[in-house]
C-alpha cells in the first residue's frame, strides 16, 4: 500500500471516529435533557428493567458461580508453600468485587441485552417505525432510548451484587470441598480483605457498565440500515462496540479504586 493510501485510510478512520463521537454526543445530550419528562418513560423503564433483570439473571448467577470457583482454585494453586490459607478467601473477595463480578456480568449482558436492544431498535429503524414516531410528533429518544438506558444502568447494580455474592459463596464451597481450606481460614481471609471501598468500586463499575451497554446498543441500533441483513450486522456491531467500551472504561476506572482505598 502506498503512503498516500495509508494516509487517506487513516484520515477516513479519524473522520469516522469524529463523526460517531459527535453523533453519540448529540444522542447523549438528548437523553440527558429528556430525563425531565418522567411521565413519558417511567412505565416503559419498569418494563425494560424487569425484562433485562429476568432475562439476564440466570446467566449472571452462572457466571458468578463459575468465576468464584475458578478464582478460588487458581489462588490456591498459585500459592507458594508456607503462605497462609487465608489468602484464598481474600483473593476470591478481591477478584470478585473489583473485576470478575462487574466485568463478567457486563460482558454477559452485552451479548444478551446489548444485541437484543441493537437488533430491536435496528428493526424499528429499517422498517421505518422510527420515522412513524416522528411523524406522530413522538420523541424516539424519550420513548425508546431513555427507558432502556435507565433500566440497564439501574438493574446492573443488583445483578452485580448477586454475582459478587454467589461468586464468594461458590469460592467458599470449592475451598472447603476441594482445596481443603478450613472454613474459618477462608472466611477470615475474606473478612480481612473486604472493605467498603471495594464494594463501592464494584457498584461504580456496575453503573458505568450498565450505561455503556444500553447507550451503545441504542446508538448502534438507531444507525441501522440495509434491511434484514443490516439488522444482523447491527446486533454484531453493538456487541463488539460494547465489549470494547467496557474494557476501555474498566481501565479508565482504575484510579477510582485507589481513591476509594
Amino acid at each position: 500500500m502506498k503512503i498516500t493510501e495509508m494516509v487517506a485510510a487513516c484520515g477516513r478512520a479519524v473522520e469516522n471516529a469524529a463523526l460517531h463521537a459527535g453523533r453519540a454526543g448529540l444522542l447523549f445530550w438528548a437523553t440527558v435533557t429528556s430525563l425531565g419528562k418522567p411521565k413519558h418513560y417511567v412505565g416503559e423503564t419498569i418494563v425494560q428493567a424487569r425484562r433485562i433483570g429476568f432475562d439476564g439473571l440466570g446467566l449472571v448467577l452462572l457466571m458468578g458461580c463459575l468465576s468464584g470457583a475458578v478464582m478460588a482454585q487458581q489462588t490456591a494453586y498459585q500459592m507458594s508453600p508456607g503462605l497462609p490459607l487465608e489468602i484464598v478467601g481474600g483473593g476470591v473477595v478481591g477478584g470478585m468485587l473489583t473485576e470478575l463480578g462487574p466485568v463478567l456480568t457486563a460482558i454477559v449482558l452485552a451479548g444478551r441485552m446489548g444485541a437484543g436492544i441493537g437488533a430491536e431498535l435496528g428493526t424499528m429503524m429499517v422498517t421505518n417505525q422510527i420515522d412513524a414516531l416522528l411523524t406522530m410528533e413522538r420523541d424516539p429518544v424519550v420513548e425508546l432510548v431513555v427507558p432502556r438506558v435507565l433500566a440497564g444502568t439501574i438493574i446492573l447494580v443488583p445483578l452485580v451484587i448477586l454475582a459478587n455474592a454467589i461468586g464468594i459463596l461458590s469460592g467458599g464451597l470449592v475451598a472447603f470441598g476441594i482445596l481443603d481450606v478450613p472454613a474459618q481460614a477462608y472466611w477470615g481471609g475474606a473478612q480481612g480483605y473486604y472493605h467498603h471501598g471495594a464494594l463501592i468500586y464494584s457498584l461504580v463499575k456496575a453503573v458505568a457498565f450498565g450505561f455503556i451497554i444500553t447507550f451503545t446498543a441504542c446508538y448502534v441500533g438507531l444507525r441501522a440500515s440495509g434491511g434484514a441483513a443490516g439488522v444482523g450486522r447491527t446486533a454484531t456491531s453493538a456487541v463488539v462496540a460494547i465489549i470494547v467500551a467496557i474494557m476501555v472504561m474498566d481501565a479508565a476506572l482504575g484510579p477510582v479504586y485507589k481513591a476509594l482505598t
Side-chain angles (χ1 to χ4, degrees), residues 34-89:
S34 298
L35 294 176
K37 307 172 183 178
K39 66 178 182 179
H40 295 290
Y41 63 75
V42 168
E44 182 62 18
T45 300
I46 295 173
V47 172
Q48 293 295 326
R50 186 185 302 115
R51 173 185 169 188
I52 293 169
F54 283 119
D55 286 354
L57 182 60
L59 281 173
V60 167
L61 293 179
L62 176 62
M63 292 301 294
C65 182
L66 295 175
S67 299
V70 171
M71 192 69 191
Q73 293 180 72
Q74 292 303 317
T75 303
Y77 294 154
Q78 295 181 38
M79 285 172 54
S80 299
L83 290 178
L85 296 176
E86 285 81 359
I87 290 178
V88 176

Side-chain angles (χ1 to χ4, degrees), residues 17-220:
L19 187 61
H20 283 298
R23 289 170 175 169
L26 291 174
L27 180 60
F28 174 76
W29 179 248
T31 302
V32 171
T33 55
S34 298
L35 294 176
K37 307 172 183 178
K39 66 178 182 179
H40 295 290
Y41 63 75
V42 168
E44 182 62 18
T45 300
I46 295 173
V47 172
Q48 293 295 326
R50 186 185 302 115
R51 173 185 169 188
I52 293 169
F54 283 119
D55 286 354
L57 182 60
L59 281 173
V60 167
L61 293 179
L62 176 62
M63 292 301 294
C65 182
L66 295 175
S67 299
V70 171
M71 192 69 191
Q73 293 180 72
Q74 292 303 317
T75 303
Y77 294 154
Q78 295 181 38
M79 285 172 54
S80 299
L83 290 178
L85 296 176
E86 285 81 359
I87 290 178
V88 176
V92 172
V93 171
M96 289 303 303
L97 291 181
T98 59
E99 286 298 324
L100 294 179
V103 173
L104 288 182
T105 298
I107 289 176
V108 166
L109 292 181
R112 188 173 185 88
M113 179 172 68
I117 291 175
E120 184 179 15
L121 295 189
T123 300
M124 296 181 71
M125 194 70 188
V126 300
T127 56
N128 298 321
Q129 295 181 53
I130 304 296
D131 292 336
L133 288 175
L134 293 172
T135 302
M136 294 185 291
E137 297 184 349
R138 294 166 61 182
D139 190 348
V141 175
V142 175
E143 298 195 19
L144 301 176
V145 177
V146 174
R148 287 163 174 79
V149 171
L150 272 182
T153 304
I154 294 170
I155 206 65
L156 208 70
V157 173
L159 289 178
V160 166
I161 292 174
L162 288 174
N164 290 337
I166 196 70
I168 294 170
L169 289 174
S170 67
L173 292 176
V174 170
F176 313 149
I178 298 176
L179 305 174
D180 295 326
V181 176
Q184 184 177 1
Y186 179 84
W187 293 117
Q191 186 177 5
Y193 171 85
Y194 173 80
H195 51 91
H196 294 317
L199 178 59
I200 294 172
Y201 180 63
S202 186
L203 300 183
V204 168
K205 281 190 172 185
V207 171
F209 293 162
F211 174 81
I212 285 172
I213 293 169
T214 48
F215 180 80
T216 305
C218 288
Y219 173 75
V220 175

